[in-house]
Amino acid sequence: MKKLVLLLSLPLFCFAQTETFLSLPKQKSFFQKTDQLSSDFSGAKIVLHPEQRFQSIDGFGFTLTGGSAQLIQALEPAKRAALLQELFGKNGISVLRIGVGATDLDATVFSYEDKPKKFSLEPSKADLIPVLQQIIAINPAIKLMATPWSPPTWMKDNGESKGGSLLEKHYTNYANYLATYIEKMANEGITIWALTPQNEPLHPGNNPSMLMTSEMQANFIKTALGPVFKKRKITTKIIVYDHNCDHPEYAIDLLNDPETKQYVSGSAFHLYNGDISALSKVKAAHPDKDLYFTEQWTGYKGDFTGDFMWHVKNVILGAVNNHAKTAIEWNLANDPSYGPHTPGGCTECLGALTISGQDIIRNQSYYIVMQAARFVPAGSVRLGIDVPEGIQAAAFKRPDGKTVLLVQNEGRKKNLSVEKLNLEIPAESVLTIIL
């Protein structure tokens, strides 16, 4: 039988200091440091190109919904502190997505201005805001991306939290609402790093939700959101789209409009439809704008190993290899009944954590994100890499100067070589190599 060979061309590395960490999802064994992978064999080629430098990485993380925060805040103080340290301490999560008002995984539907000129963060002061403050105390550099699921209902043409569209007469009101939100959060010690104008703008069937076509979003940004942010001296990044990879033209259309583009930092994607390569199509059309991967769920009916391997391939490796600066999974925590959620919100979403009273279970999404977050900190830069069929990989230069390779083997065990270092990578595994 012909042997597969993996050869990495890595000049000037000190192999005596090489570290390897193995994840075997079938055995539910993750990030295990090992020196037991040595092999006498070499075979097919992976070539690292350290001279090819792509995007810097902002981080890997989750969406901290109001429901997630509610469950975390209800933990005993010592247990909560230990969990947050585990998640957000050294070698942990460096980016979080949060809702502006309710997400569909909040216990109730609300905005921060349910009545005109009555803005208040009060609905989030029992859970989301204190949890964020605790997280920031652990990691002051954490990046927070905020996303509304719906504007206040009085700004919409149907007057409801579900569906409908933003009335043009309220464009400036809504822009000021979002600006006020950013300013009020800053008063709580919470800096909003980036904002998308609408979660899943082409999916108005959730609760809350809203339809916002690319033309609507472009008009809102160039006539209201951008000018209001500029007037109020708000430096939060504006990131467009925030929906599936099957419509890269949504982001491209927005960025093709120079009046809109001047206010936009980049575009965000999910992968419930389409192919992750859509990010590279947007990058090719607008190489001066950034890309972000911002949501992918795991469901309670999913297979642990299958989910882990698919998400590592498509969300972690796929997103970054297609220029994403973030890779964010969906919900951080749920209860055993997959709540809290709004009436009409997701009933099958499996959080990274299942929190039942004071008991915590770590699910596949936890390990998906930590597979990258533990080894690739914010500020790392993606490097060029060539891989053979059957192997997925990404390479990074970390701020500490070390090079990290995340290598996924979906098939049978294979041998790989890092210059003179020969390793055997087990079947259905992910191997982290630190050089």
Side-chain angles (χ1 to χ4, degrees), residues 143-249:
K143 291 181 168 70
L144 301 177
M145 179 183 291
T147 300
W149 265 238
S150 172
T153 57
W154 57 270
M155 298 184 187
K156 299 172 71 176
D157 57 10
N158 68 350
E160 298 179 2
S161 60
K162 180 178 178 179
S165 292
L166 180 64
L167 288 165
E168 194 166 349
K169 69 180 182 180
H170 286 307
Y171 276 15
T172 300
N173 287 331
Y174 189 39
N176 280 307
Y177 166 85
L178 294 171
T180 299
Y181 162 78
I182 291 167
E183 291 169 348
K184 296 287 189 183
M185 291 292 273
N187 291 341
E188 300 289 339
I190 299 166
T191 299
I192 302 301
W193 161 69
L195 175 121
T196 69
Q198 175 61 40
N199 172 65
E200 298 191 340
L202 300 180
H203 175 38
N206 204 351
N207 188 23
S209 64
M210 184 176 74
L211 175 68
M212 184 180 257
T213 65
S214 60
E215 183 179 7
M216 291 173 180
Q217 191 162 120
N219 288 335
F220 172 61
I221 290 169
K222 69 185 176 183
T223 66
L225 188 63
V228 165
F229 274 22
K230 185 176 181 180
K231 181 180 179 181
R232 295 174 66 164
K233 295 182 170 56
I234 288 173
T235 58
T236 298
K237 295 176 186 289
I238 297 173
I239 298 172
V240 300
Y241 189 40
D242 209 3
H243 206 172
N244 286 330
C245 287
D246 56 345
H247 289 295
E249 72 278 1

Side-chain angles (χ1 to χ4, degrees), residues 66-67 70 101-111 123 161 207-208 340-343:
Q70 179 181 329
T103 71
D104 64 303
L105 292 187
D106 276 72
T108 59
V109 175
F110 63 89
S111 77
S161 60
N207 188 23
H341 59 76
T342 63

